[in-house]
Amino acid sequence: SDLWSPDSASVLYGVRSTGEMADLWSVSLRGGEKRQLTAPVPQLDSFIPFAYSPAGRWFVFAKRPGPESGSALFMVGAEGGEPRALTAPTSSLRGWNWFTDREILFSARPGSRYELWRIPVNGTVAAPLGFAGAGEDGTYPALAWRAATAGIPSRPLLAYQKEQTIVNLYSLTLPGGKPVPLLPSTRLPSTRMPSTRMDGSPQISPDGGKMVFLSDRSGFMELWMAATDGASPIALTHFA
């Protein structure tokens, strides 16, 4: 990742040193001088963006609190200091961005789906709130503020990436039959209960009347049961 300094005089960037950690460096746009920084932080996660707050007061970055943990977001003063955690460690962090000078937006996967979340930037690990309106599978949020126009105040514009993996179950009557979707995606026409998720590992009962399968359509991977033609699927487990 790279980043403009608040005074637009230099660009900050990471140089990987050990594992996934990177040393923080800057390069001057006027003379081209490069120097290794000790503030705001000496090292950070090289795969996750870092950024100053809109007013330039705070610096948010990611690092691993422990050798076996996932990455967490931390805040520190723009001039350095003791970093304070903002999120719990997770291996599923998929981008973040400033929403306001006091709040950030990030993507993580609490179950089997990535979602956009918002948290206050106050130096404590707060329970994240779902970002209304973005729906499921939101990752790598980017924000810009539209300028105020006549009668309309300045407002944020959000862009984000939406990732989906769809795996469907099919049946085939032997010999010579054609594959028929049992629990198809909503992109395919069907009168059955649709799924835009992953359905797999089907097992047909010995009497041929039912089947069980795995699906993450609820947000978590669960065991489901349905008729062998895919009708009337119901969850048998509830791990959420």
Side-chain angles (χ1 to χ4, degrees):
S1 295
D2 49 40
L3 174 70
W4 284 95
S5 63
D7 60 5
S8 299
S10 61
V11 174
L12 280 63
Y13 61 98
V15 176
R16 290 184 64 181
S17 53
T18 56
E20 296 179 358
M21 296 301 291
D23 298 324
L24 189 62
W25 285 70
S26 73
V27 56
S28 170
L29 298 185
R30 175 166 294 185
E33 298 89 358
K34 301 179 180 65
R35 64 188 180 97
Q36 188 172 356
L37 304 179
T38 58
V41 290
Q43 283 194 321
L44 37 70
D45 191 312
S46 59
F47 292 107
I48 299 175
F50 46 89
Y52 289 97
S53 61
R57 182 182 177 189
W58 302 106
F59 184 80
V60 168
F61 65 102
K63 71 173 184 176
R64 294 177 181 268
E68 304 299 325
S69 70
S71 293
L73 293 177
F74 286 77
M75 67 175 290
V76 67
E79 303 301 322
E82 184 65 28
R84 291 176 286 175
L86 297 174
T87 66
T90 176
S91 60
S92 66
L93 189 61
R94 289 285 186 94
W96 73 274
N97 215 305
W98 288 93
F99 187 53
T100 68
D101 207 51
R102 298 175 178 270
E103 193 173 33
I104 64 174
L105 190 63
F106 70 98
S107 173
R109 183 179 61 189
S112 62
R113 305 175 182 178
Y114 282 97
E115 296 182 51
L116 295 182
W117 304 86
R118 55 198 299 179
I119 53 169
V121 179
N122 56 15
T124 61
V125 179
L129 299 175
F131 188 78
E136 302 169 352
D137 307 305
T139 58
Y140 302 107
L143 283 144
W145 285 82
R146 285 180 169 171
T149 56
I152 303 177
S154 175
R155 60 197 187 279
L157 176 65
L158 169 66
Y160 61 96
Q161 180 174 313
K162 190 176 180 69
E163 299 181 12
Q164 279 190 317
T165 299
I166 301 174
V167 179
N168 296 317
L169 293 179
Y170 286 76
S171 69
L172 180 64
T173 301
L174 300 175
K178 294 183 178 181
V180 176
L182 295 177
L183 297 152
S185 155
T186 51
R187 297 177 184 177
L188 299 175
S190 174
T191 58
R192 307 300 183 196
M193 181 177 178
S195 172
T196 56
R197 294 292 162 185
M198 298 178 65
D199 300 313
S201 301
Q203 296 290 327
I204 297 175
S205 62
D207 63 8
K210 300 286 185 182
M211 71 172 177
V212 293
F213 60 98
L214 296 177
S215 176
D216 66 351
R217 62 177 61 199
S218 67
F220 294 83
M221 191 60 73
E222 309 276 7
L223 184 64
W224 286 69
M225 182 177 68
T228 51
D229 65 353
S232 306
I234 60 170
L236 299 179
T237 60
H238 302 278
F239 295 128

